[in-house]
Amino acid sequence: MLGQPTRDRQAERQEATRLEILAAAWEIARDKGLAELTLRDVAFRIGMRAPSLYSYFGSKNAIYDAMFGQAWTDYLTLINAVEPTLPRSPRDGVKAIAHTFFDYAVADHARHQLMNQRTIPGFVPSPESYAPAIEVLERARRHLARFGVQGNERVDLFTALIGGLVDAQQANDLGGDRWARLLDDAIDMFANHVGIPKTTGRGS
Amino acid sequence: MLGQPTRDRQAERQEATRLEILAAAWEIARDKGLAELTLRDVAFRIGMRAPSLYSYFGSKNAIYDAMFGQAWTDYLTLINAVEPTLPRSPRDGVKAIAHTFFDYAVADHARHQLMNQRTIPGFVPSPESYAPAIEVLERARRHLARFGVQGNERVDLFTALIGGLVDAQQANDLGGDRWARLLDDAIDMFANHVGIPKTTGRGS
DNA sequence: CGGCTGGCCTAACACAGTTTGAAGAGTGGC
DNA sequence: GCCACTCTTCAAACTGTGTTAGGCCAGCCG
């Protein structure tokens, strides 16, 4: 009476190969650029031919989609790790949130392109892959609210501000810090605008 | 003794055809998307076949390049038209500059993609096409300086802020005004931060 | 009138993503 | 232990892309 086997070896191997494919795709994207990624390249890197990939992903965009999901899920776990270390002071807290996002975005250009820009023609993330992105935004929204940034408009302004700095940095000074240097100042500007008290919270 | 003919009819026709190609390319880019533009489509729209375009442009990217130059040159002439109407008040002046750019960017998605985002894989604008873009930035720098926004860092922050709003608007609410509504508020935030006096200049 | 150039074409190439159909490898049932 | 069946992989081929090669024809110039 052994009953059902406790593991599905086939599914495990399938999943392992999927991850292998994605890892290869990330390598190539980082090396040669996100758009320069080729199915034949990805396949060869793991000892396959291009058509074999179609046993694991329905299309090239499905690979991008899985990468998109991975990137946002990774960021979610990063947030989880950072969360307990967030400063109590509202202003420093907002700064920490901004820095976390900024650094993550700047650390990997291909990843940032995929996560935050519409640089792949025809690629639209699926709802499943988009879910962690929404979760991240929701999480950010809660934290910001806790620090006194409330209302959709203020959150929208915050995201646009940080996003603008990241994009400017990546587009005009890749690898440098011309806009990275402005981040703290920008957050102070924002914090003053929405009435977040300075480091020792005495205001309002 | 007629001497040299005063017009080069051949060059004139060549230039006219070039413009015709670019006009067709803009139409298709607006219709189907910038990246979905196809040489065969462009050619057919003006009664040609794809290879014939190579008599006028060295490559597809050369067409993108010419479009890039056109877009920035058009914006430059728009600036020239707007310049005399700029308000005297520094704060309103900065707002006018921001609105001019924002509206121009939002008015044509394909154009914005080409001008301000790196959405076409492998496309890098040539120095000639980039020149008007630099000229625009230089012009903006001068105006901002006149309104009291001085120093590279402040200008960088300004461009990042406006760019972030435009990108957020285009990426997350195409055709809407969710971020457009925030523009004035964002400029006020910025103006306060860099010490631009309110509408009737009494401050600082 | 003869040659030359410019403008446009067809045919073809290289290289994408993708589909098809078949052969090999692994797995499970009897 | 063997058979059937599924999963995995591949070669070949298809479509659609940018691009190149080579040829045809009109118009201009000597």
Side-chain angles (χ1 to χ4, degrees):
Chain A
M1 53 160 298
L2 284 153
Q4 302 277 6
T6 136
R7 288 166 55 193
D8 183 345
R9 307 185 65 89
Q10 221 160 253
E12 282 175 18
R13 224 181 30 194
Q14 168 106 2
E15 185 56 22
T17 307
R18 275 178 62 96
L19 293 178
E20 216 180 326
I21 291 170
L22 292 177
W26 279 117
E27 276 183 48
I28 295 172
R30 271 188 284 264
D31 278 17
K32 315 210 290 186
L34 188 66
E36 282 68 24
L37 183 143
T38 286
L39 290 189
R40 285 162 173 84
D41 274 358
V42 174
F44 263 97
R45 185 164 296 221
I46 60 168
M48 283 187 179
R49 302 303 148 81
S52 306
L53 301 181
Y54 283 80
S55 301
Y56 302 93
F57 295 94
S59 69
K60 185 186 187 182
N61 274 354
I63 296 182
Y64 281 132
D65 194 52
M67 295 168 78
F68 181 92
Q70 272 192 336
W72 278 104
T73 304
D74 285 356
Y75 185 63
L76 199 53
T77 71
L78 173 61
I79 284 185
N80 283 332
V82 166
E83 233 170 37
T85 78
L86 279 182
R88 292 224 170 283
S89 142
R91 190 168 288 239
D92 291 342
V94 175
K95 270 183 193 164
I97 291 175
H99 272 282
T100 304
F101 181 80
F102 190 97
D103 293 347
Y104 188 77
V106 164
D108 187 332
H109 184 51
R111 190 177 59 188
H112 168 65
Q113 271 183 281
L114 186 57
M115 290 173 74
N116 302 305
Q117 297 181 323
R118 285 276 174 284
T119 176
I120 300 295
F123 167 63
V124 182
S126 66
E128 305 87 65
S129 297
Y130 207 74
I134 293 178
E135 171 67 17
V136 163
L137 190 60
E138 212 39 61
R139 208 70 83 78
R141 206 179 287 278
R142 273 212 301 278
H143 284 135
L144 288 174
R146 184 153 61 86
F147 291 136
V149 180
Q150 265 143 342
N152 285 334
E153 304 205 335
R154 285 171 173 179
V155 174
D156 283 351
L157 181 57
F158 179 77
T159 58
L161 178 59
I162 309 300
L165 287 165
V166 170
D167 285 346
Q169 178 63 53
Q170 294 286 72
N172 307 313
D173 183 38
L174 219 162
D177 69 339
R178 180 166 155 194
W179 275 268
R181 287 196 317 256
L182 307 179
L183 188 54
D184 276 329
D185 188 44
I187 302 298
D188 274 323
M189 168 178 79
F190 175 77
N192 292 335
H193 186 63
V194 300
I196 295 180
K198 308 250 154 130
T199 306
T200 50
R202 187 82 60 80
S204 173
Chain B
M1 49 159 301
L2 284 155
Q4 303 277 7
T6 136
R7 287 167 54 194
D8 184 344
R9 307 185 65 89
Q10 219 160 257
E12 280 174 20
R13 226 182 28 195
Q14 167 105 3
E15 184 57 20
T17 307
R18 275 179 61 96
L19 292 178
E20 217 179 326
I21 291 171
L22 292 178
W26 279 116
E27 276 184 48
I28 295 172
R30 269 186 287 262
D31 278 16
K32 315 211 289 184
L34 188 66
E36 283 68 25
L37 182 143
T38 286
L39 291 188
R40 283 162 174 85
D41 275 357
V42 174
F44 263 96
R45 188 164 292 223
I46 61 168
M48 283 186 179
R49 303 301 149 83
S52 305
L53 301 180
Y54 284 80
S55 302
Y56 301 94
F57 295 94
S59 69
K60 185 186 188 182
N61 274 353
I63 296 182
Y64 281 132
D65 194 52
M67 294 168 78
F68 181 92
Q70 273 192 335
W72 279 105
T73 303
D74 285 356
Y75 186 63
L76 199 52
T77 70
L78 173 61
I79 285 187
N80 283 333
V82 166
E83 232 170 39
T85 78
L86 278 181
R88 291 227 170 281
S89 142
R91 191 168 287 237
D92 291 342
V94 174
K95 271 183 193 166
I97 291 176
H99 272 283
T100 304
F101 181 80
F102 190 97
D103 293 345
Y104 188 78
V106 165
D108 187 334
H109 185 51
R111 189 178 58 189
H112 168 64
Q113 271 183 280
L114 186 57
M115 290 173 74
N116 301 306
Q117 298 179 323
R118 284 277 174 282
T119 176
I120 301 295
F123 167 64
V124 182
S126 65
E128 305 88 63
S129 297
Y130 206 74
I134 294 178
E135 171 66 17
V136 163
L137 190 61
E138 211 40 60
R139 209 70 84 80
R141 206 179 288 277
R142 273 211 301 279
H143 285 135
L144 288 174
R146 185 152 61 85
F147 291 135
V149 180
Q150 265 143 342
N152 285 334
E153 305 205 336
R154 286 171 171 181
V155 174
D156 284 349
L157 181 58
F158 179 77
T159 59
L161 178 60
I162 309 301
L165 287 165
V166 170
D167 285 345
Q169 179 63 54
Q170 295 285 71
N172 306 312
D173 182 39
L174 218 163
D177 69 341
R178 180 167 156 194
W179 275 268
R181 288 196 316 256
L182 307 179
L183 188 53
D184 276 329
D185 188 44
I187 303 298
D188 274 323
M189 169 178 79
F190 175 77
N192 292 334
H193 186 63
V194 301
I196 295 179
K198 308 249 156 135
T199 306
T200 49
R202 187 81 60 81
S204 172

